[in-house]
């Protein structure tokens, strides 16, 4: 398949990368708890992009009937085998196909989709969820509950160390939100630039124009993108089960020496599902000192 076609349909993650997802304790615990909280034996469930089938298995173990779709044929056969070896073949039916134009044979109560790449780049979460929701409503007259409910996107200026054994290499990188990264210091509070409510959202350009005030003198050389998804909310207590995708740290082409009290304006726009480079290339930084000299930054390849 050509790169352009892959970019159009989604990101297909080969089997050997699924170990990372299966052994990511924060991801697995959050999704397992949310699925177990919602699903009952009366539920019919769909999963979009089911990979190894693990999230479908959580719903099936709660007694639900599950229909899943996965694009990557190698994963379809592997997951059918895993589902069978876990004794769940009678509960989970896996189809090969593109989730943007797939529907299960019956209406479902819940649809699960975890294509939550950082900043909603690369993977097609919003494309597949909105297409499924709209097609399900048109065909069955009812919209399913969606897991996750919502995703919140934020951005924050940071100072990231790019020294690798004495070699300076400002590359894009990912960080766990669940541990403090010793080599990355926040320079200002994060700002939310987009909230996606999957019951209503459609694919659109995300456009941000945010301002950061600095409390202390700071050397800003990168932006940290924060992606937090609300998987489910308890109707009575209002308590939520959340999951943070990995932080994405994008380097700027130069460092900005910001003084306490100064303001930095950050602008960018991109469409969900686009490559990381698209966002990196779109970043524009303005400081009071540089108003005449608007720097446009592009990714250091
Ligand atoms: C992040 S993985 C999650 C896999 C699994 N749901 C889990 O939680 O372990 C996303 C999966 O969606 C599949 N995928 C991506 N785009 C797709 C599409 N348009 N249609 C069907 N599957 C897709 C990928 O191949 C990958 O297996």
């Amino acid at each position: 398949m050509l790169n352009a076609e892959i970019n159009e349909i989604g990101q297909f993650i080969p089997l050997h990368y699924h170990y990372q997802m299966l052994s990511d304790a924060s991801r697995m615990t959050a999704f397992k708890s949310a699925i177990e909280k919602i699903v009952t034996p009366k539920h019919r469930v769909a999963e979009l992009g089911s990979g190894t089938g693990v999230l479908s298995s959580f719903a099936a173990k709660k007694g639900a009937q599950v229909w899943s779709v996965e694009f990557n044929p190698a994963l379809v056969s592997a997951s059918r085998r895993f589902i069978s070896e876990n004794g769940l073949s009678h509960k989970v039916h896996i189809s090969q196909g593109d989730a943007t134009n797939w529907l299960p044979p019956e209406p479902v109560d819940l649809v699960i989709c975890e294509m939550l790449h950082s900043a909603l780049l690369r993977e097609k979460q919003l494309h597949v969820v909105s297409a499924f929701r709209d097609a399900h409503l048109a065909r069955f007259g009812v919209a399913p509950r969606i897991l996750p409910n919502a995703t919140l996107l934020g951005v924050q200026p940071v100072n990231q160390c790019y020294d690798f054994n004495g070699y300076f290499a400002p590359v894009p990188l990912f960080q766990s939100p669940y541990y403090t990264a010793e080599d990355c210091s926040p320079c200002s509070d994060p700002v939310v630039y987009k909230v996606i409510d999957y019951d209503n959202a459609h694919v659109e350009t995300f456009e941000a124009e945010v301002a950061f005030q600095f409390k202390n003198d700071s050397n800003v050389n990168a932006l940290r993108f924060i992606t937090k998804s609300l998987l489910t909310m308890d109707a009575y207590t209002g308590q939520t089960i959340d999951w943070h995708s990995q932080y994405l740290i994008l380097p700027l082409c130069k460092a900005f020496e910001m003084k306490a009290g100064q303001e930095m304006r950050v602008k960018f726009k991109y469409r969900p599902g686009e490559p990381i480079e698209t966002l990196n290339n779109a970043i524009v930084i303005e400081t009071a000192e540089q108003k005449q000299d608007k720097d446009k930054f592009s990714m250091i390849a």
Side-chain angles (χ1 to χ4, degrees):
M1 190 182 264
L2 297 171
N3 273 346
E5 286 175 277
I6 292 172
N7 190 41
E8 193 55 40
I9 301 177
Q11 193 206 8
F12 309 115
I13 302 171
L15 183 59
H16 51 271
Y17 288 124
H18 281 261
Y19 169 76
Q20 259 70 33
M21 287 186 275
L22 289 165
S23 53
D24 178 338
S26 55
R27 188 186 90 101
M28 296 294 278
T29 308
F31 275 90
K32 190 167 191 261
S33 325
I35 291 166
E36 288 180 347
K37 198 161 187 57
I38 298 170
V39 175
T40 70
K42 288 190 182 146
H43 271 89
R44 288 169 297 184
V45 174
E47 190 189 357
L48 311 177
S50 47
T52 55
V54 65
L55 304 186
S56 294
S57 85
F58 295 152
K61 282 187 185 158
K62 288 286 294 196
Q65 188 61 49
V66 186
W67 291 274
S68 308
V69 63
E70 166 57 49
F71 192 84
N72 182 340
L75 275 169
V76 173
S77 32
S79 59
R80 283 183 182 147
R81 181 159 55 82
F82 301 154
I83 287 289
S84 162
E85 284 171 4
N86 282 274
L88 295 168
S89 293
H90 61 300
K91 285 284 180 191
V92 182
H93 182 272
I94 301 167
S95 304
Q96 191 278 324
D98 175 4
T100 44
N101 53 37
W102 172 87
L103 274 177
E106 296 175 27
V108 293
D109 307 286
L110 175 73
V111 57
I112 302 166
C113 184
E114 196 282 271
M115 299 188 194
L116 296 164
H117 198 277
S118 312
L120 295 190
L121 291 162
R122 303 191 71 189
E123 294 185 291
K124 297 286 193 275
Q125 175 84 10
L126 198 44
H127 299 66
V128 301
V129 169
S130 59
F132 183 88
R133 181 199 64 214
D134 294 351
H136 191 281
L137 183 60
R139 167 91 168 268
F140 301 117
V142 56
R145 180 170 178 170
I146 301 167
L147 190 169
N149 284 171
T151 298
L152 182 149
L153 301 174
V155 62
Q156 175 180 41
V158 295
N159 180 272
Q160 171 69 44
C161 173
Y162 289 114
D163 182 286
F164 302 96
N165 284 39
Y167 188 67
F168 174 69
V171 292
L173 58 96
F174 296 97
Q175 262 171 12
S176 170
Y178 293 96
Y179 303 98
T180 305
E182 302 293 333
D183 60 355
C184 183
S185 315
C187 298
S188 175
D189 291 336
V191 168
V192 173
Y193 64 89
K194 185 78 192 164
V195 177
I196 295 123
D197 158 17
Y198 290 103
D199 286 337
N200 300 296
H202 285 98
V203 179
E204 58 172 323
T205 301
F206 298 162
E207 205 161 348
E209 185 167 347
V210 293
F212 298 98
Q213 304 284 343
F214 292 86
K215 293 188 188 115
N216 304 305
D217 293 356
S218 307
N219 177 284
V220 178
N221 66 353
L223 294 179
R224 170 148 81 184
F225 288 85
I226 299 161
T227 309
K228 181 176 182 175
S229 294
L230 188 163
L231 303 187
T232 188
M233 185 187 285
D234 186 283
Y236 298 102
T237 63
Q239 296 240 331
T240 62
I241 298 175
D242 307 319
W243 180 59
H244 272 282
S245 305
Q246 285 196 308
Y247 289 147
L248 170 63
I249 316 288
L250 293 180
L252 303 175
C253 276
K254 69 170 193 181
F256 290 81
E257 291 296 344
M258 302 302 297
K259 297 273 172 239
Q262 285 184 331
E263 184 182 271
M264 170 184 273
R265 301 188 77 79
V266 175
K267 298 181 195 173
F268 53 83
K269 62 177 173 184
Y270 66 98
R271 286 179 72 77
E274 285 190 318
I276 291 169
E277 293 83 343
T278 307
L279 171 55
N280 214 152
N281 290 339
I283 295 170
V284 175
I285 308 280
E286 279 175 28
T287 61
E289 290 67 34
Q290 292 199 323
K291 270 222 152 67
Q292 319 306 331
D293 170 30
K294 276 190 197 169
D295 271 316
K296 185 159 178 141
F297 295 96
S298 54
M299 189 163 192
I300 299 172

